[in-house]
């Protein structure tokens, strides 16, 4: 079983955020000590029930800035409810392994687990998760008016919480893909004139993949060359990519594939991994490699974020939650220089589509304190907490936070993140998705490193995924 003395830690996540375990432990234990076994001052409750004061809940989440912010704010939850909170985090792959082991062995180490939404089918289908509908109804009088479930973006409910007609949690964040680019150099008059002469059209943020490639080619320069009237002291790359054998490469490829007309599964539930459009999209992704920093086939989100922050790459397709890192003066050399746009499309006039990356607050069926766990998830999605997440550089899940005037005035990526959320597509969420993802990561990597052509790699992926799914094809839409 989980021991309350276990040190909560924040490890390196998608944003490269690191907090020393000792510092995090001190922060959380301060909050926990305030409520455990003690009465809550009604003046501090702010509408939250104190019925479960003295309870302790254990939370597992991805090591991201959102998790860091929740850890920082957790003592406030304890102050209002008397419920102590232990928060542990891990990188994506390690978190999935930990969650799967905890669920499958019924250890019950964690009450609340923030899971990637594409694992919802695997976990719900294995009867590991509680139905949230009874929890929401039974605790409706125990939550503060600051929590309004209708404020959560509808698309996030559909993607991150619903499976086979049952609500298995609540969206824990609104991660979504978008295009990030150096607005300052795309606006430079000398660069605009040179681009116009070279390509025959005006330099502007890319709206098509051809434009994206042209811009990548144009801005790939060696040290000693000129950029916006200045001499480059280091090479500049027109694009940066996540190309490692990892979920990051698969998710990046899916952005290209969706707009090329390919992808993983079509509307009828049939596999289209090796379709001509899917193959073309992977070939296109590989073609960008010559404009990317060396070693991009070993890069994930961390490297993409760092290269943008350092100002050595001009464009990227990445997650909206990297915008906070771009605008952080303690970490970034490009504060105020970035622009944020829609995922480009194949042809002018096509509708842009981002990729959902939302996560889900779920509650284990083995939790001994499910009501206290639910109060924590509701608190995390309450208006003050969601706004604080935005203020501190994280990504909220509520419309009110994205439309908050104060946040709009200070967060240049905010309008684009909301726009991307409105047009985002979901990854498959069937129970076999983990095995499918493993095959896709292998074959996308094989193509990018030159071990196989894009066509051969995706044919291998199609064959192996067909074997994994067997008679479950075509996939049922949940």
């Amino acid at each position: 079983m989980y021991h309350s003395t276990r040190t909560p830690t924040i490890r390196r996540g998608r944003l490269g955020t690191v907090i020393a375990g000792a510092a995090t432990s001190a922060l959380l234990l301060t909050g926990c000590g305030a409520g455990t076994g003690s009465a809550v001052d009604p003046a501090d409750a702010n509408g939250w029930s104190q019925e479960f004061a003295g309870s302790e809940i254990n939370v597992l989440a991805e090591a991201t800035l959102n998790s860091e912010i929740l850890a920082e704010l957790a003592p406030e939850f304890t102050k209002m409810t008397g419920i102590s909170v232990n928060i542990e985090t891990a990188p994506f792959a390690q978190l999935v392994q930990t969650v799967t082991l905890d669920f499958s062995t019924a250890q019950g180490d964690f009450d609340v687990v923030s899971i990637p939404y594409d694992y919802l089918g695997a976990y719900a289908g294995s009867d590991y998760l509680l139905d949230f509908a009874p929890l929401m109804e039974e605790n409706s009088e125990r939550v503060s008016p600051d929590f309004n479930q209708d404020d959560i973006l509808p698309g996030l409910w559909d993607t991150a919480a619903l499976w086979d007609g049952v609500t298995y949690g609540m969206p824990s964040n609104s991660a979504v893909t978008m295009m990030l680019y150096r607005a300052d150099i795309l606006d430079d008059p000398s660069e605009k004139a040179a681009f116009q002469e070279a390509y025959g059209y005006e330099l502007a943020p890319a709206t098509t993949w051809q434009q994206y490639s042209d811009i990548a080619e144009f801005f790939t320069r060696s040290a000693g060359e000129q950029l916006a009237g200045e001499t480059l002291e280091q090479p500049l790359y027109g694009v940066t990519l996540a190309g490692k054998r990892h979920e990051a490469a698969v998710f990046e490829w899916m952005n290209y594939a969706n707009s090329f007309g390919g992808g993983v599964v079509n509307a009828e539930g049939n596999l289209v991994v090796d379709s001509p459009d899917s193959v073309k999209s992977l070939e296109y992704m590989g073609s960008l490699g010559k404009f990317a920093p060396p070693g991009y086939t070993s890069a994930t989100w961390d490297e993409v974020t760092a290269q943008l922050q350092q100002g050595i790459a001009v464009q990227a397709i990445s997650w909206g939650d990297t915008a906070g890192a771009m605008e952080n003066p303690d970490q970034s050399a490009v504060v105020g220089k970035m622009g944020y746009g829609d995922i480009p499309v194949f042809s002018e006039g096509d509708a842009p589509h981002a990729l959902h990356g939302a996560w889900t607050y779920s509650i284990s069926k083995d939790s001994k304190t499910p009501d206290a766990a639910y109060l924590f998830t509701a608190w995390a999605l309450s208006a003050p907490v969601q706004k604080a997440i935005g203020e501190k550089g994280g990504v909220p899940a509520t419309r009110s936070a994205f439309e908050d005037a104060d946040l709009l005035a200070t967060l240049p990526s905010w309008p684009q993140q909301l726009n991307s959320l409105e047009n985002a597509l979901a990854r498959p969420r069937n129970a076999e998705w983990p095995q499918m993802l493993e095959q896709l990561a292998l074959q996308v990597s094989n193509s990018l490193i030159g071990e196989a052509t894009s066509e051969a790699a995706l044919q291998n992926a199609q064959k192996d995924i067909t074997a994994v799914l067997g008679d479950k094809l075509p996939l049922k839409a949940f």
Side-chain angles (χ1 to χ4, degrees):
M1 293 296 291
Y2 185 97
H3 299 291
S4 61
T5 55
R6 191 173 177 179
T7 303
T9 57
I10 302 284
R11 304 186 184 91
R12 184 172 297 275
R14 188 182 305 154
L15 302 188
T17 303
V18 180
I19 292 182
T24 307
S25 178
L27 174 66
L28 292 181
L29 292 177
T30 297
C32 294
T36 304
S38 62
V40 178
D41 185 340
D44 294 329
N46 197 31
W48 295 95
S49 171
Q50 300 84 53
E51 184 176 343
F52 308 109
S55 300
E56 180 180 75
I57 60 171
N58 303 309
V59 179
L60 179 64
E62 189 188 19
T64 64
L65 185 54
N66 268 41
S67 299
E68 176 187 341
I69 295 166
L70 279 182
E72 181 182 342
L73 299 175
E76 289 299 314
F77 173 74
T78 299
K79 182 179 180 182
M80 292 184 291
T81 65
I83 300 168
S84 62
V85 183
N86 302 304
I87 298 179
E88 182 171 342
T89 71
F92 183 101
Q94 183 181 335
L95 179 139
V96 169
Q97 293 171 358
T98 301
V99 171
T100 302
L101 177 64
D102 188 62
F103 284 166
S104 63
T105 57
Q107 293 182 78
D109 281 358
F110 302 101
D111 302 285
V112 177
V113 179
S114 181
I115 61 172
Y117 76 83
D118 38 349
Y119 282 70
L120 189 61
Y123 296 149
S126 297
D127 198 30
Y128 294 151
L129 308 178
L130 286 180
D131 180 351
F132 255 59
L135 287 170
M136 288 189 282
E137 181 177 354
E138 293 165 6
N139 290 287
S140 62
E141 301 299 320
R142 294 169 175 153
V143 299
S144 167
D146 286 335
F147 170 67
N148 177 7
Q149 67 187 58
D150 293 333
D151 191 27
I152 298 171
L153 292 164
L156 295 179
W157 276 113
D158 296 341
T159 298
L162 294 175
W163 176 257
D164 202 14
V166 178
T167 301
Y168 284 105
M170 292 194 291
S172 58
N173 69 44
S174 59
V176 67
T177 57
M178 62 184 185
M179 180 178 69
L180 295 85
Y181 60 90
R182 283 286 300 278
D184 60 329
I185 60 175
L186 265 67
D187 285 339
D188 181 80
S190 64
E191 297 296 343
K192 291 177 81 70
F195 186 90
Q196 177 79 43
E197 182 177 354
Y199 294 92
Y201 65 92
E202 183 180 1
L203 176 61
T207 58
T208 69
W209 290 121
Q210 183 60 57
Q211 294 167 3
Y212 191 77
S213 180
D214 288 347
I215 292 169
E217 179 182 53
F218 177 70
F219 281 110
T220 299
R221 302 179 189 180
S222 302
E225 292 190 62
Q226 294 290 301
L227 176 72
E230 302 287 338
T231 301
L232 288 170
E233 297 182 358
Q234 60 182 346
L236 179 69
Y237 300 93
V239 71
T240 177
L241 303 171
K244 186 176 181 178
R245 180 179 169 180
H246 186 272
E247 295 88 351
V250 177
F251 300 161
E252 176 151 347
W253 166 67
M254 290 180 73
N255 283 280
Y256 307 116
N258 286 338
S259 55
F260 271 67
V264 179
V265 180
N266 65 14
E268 291 73 39
N270 296 309
L271 288 178
V272 292
V273 172
D274 66 349
S275 70
D277 290 332
S278 294
V279 171
K280 289 177 184 176
S281 69
L282 185 53
E283 289 173 343
Y284 174 82
M285 181 179 179
S287 76
L288 295 173
K290 58 183 173 289
F291 311 125
Y296 81 91
T297 55
S298 298
T300 67
W301 302 298
D302 284 351
E303 289 75 21
V304 167
T305 300
Q307 288 159 359
L308 288 171
Q309 287 179 311
Q310 293 162 11
I312 65 172
V314 175
Q315 305 172 117
I317 303 301
S318 195
W319 298 100
D321 58 4
T322 64
M326 298 303 108
E327 307 298 338
N328 185 337
D330 296 328
Q331 300 176 352
S332 175
V334 294
V335 175
K337 299 178 179 181
M338 297 300 297
Y340 308 96
D342 281 325
I343 300 294
V345 296
F346 185 78
S347 300
E348 290 282 6
D350 291 349
H353 288 293
L355 186 69
H356 268 304
W359 287 56
T360 307
Y361 284 130
S362 60
I363 296 178
S364 169
K365 290 197 74 171
D366 295 307
S367 171
K368 304 299 189 296
T369 55
D371 293 301
Y374 172 76
L375 289 190
F376 175 81
T377 65
W379 167 81
L381 287 159
S382 65
V385 175
Q386 290 289 290
K387 182 171 181 176
I389 286 172
E391 289 173 333
K392 295 173 181 292
V395 284
T398 58
R399 182 173 295 279
S400 63
F402 278 108
E403 294 180 344
D404 183 274
D406 295 335
L407 297 180
L408 282 168
T410 58
L411 298 171
S413 69
W414 233 228
Q416 182 56 53
Q417 291 200 57
L418 182 57
N419 190 61
S420 290
L421 286 164
E422 302 284 14
N423 67 48
L425 302 175
R427 304 188 290 264
R429 302 185 301 157
N430 56 300
E432 296 78 18
W433 172 247
Q435 299 98 297
M436 294 168 63
L437 182 58
E438 183 178 351
Q439 293 302 322
L440 288 168
L442 169 63
Q443 298 303 338
V444 168
S445 172
N446 282 346
S447 173
L448 295 177
I449 65 176
E451 286 289 323
T453 66
S454 296
E455 182 177 25
L458 293 183
Q459 285 176 345
N460 288 335
Q462 175 97 2
K463 179 184 68 175
D464 292 339
I465 292 172
T466 299
V468 166
L469 293 173
D471 61 2
K472 295 186 179 178
L473 284 169
L475 289 178
K476 180 181 176 182
F478 286 102

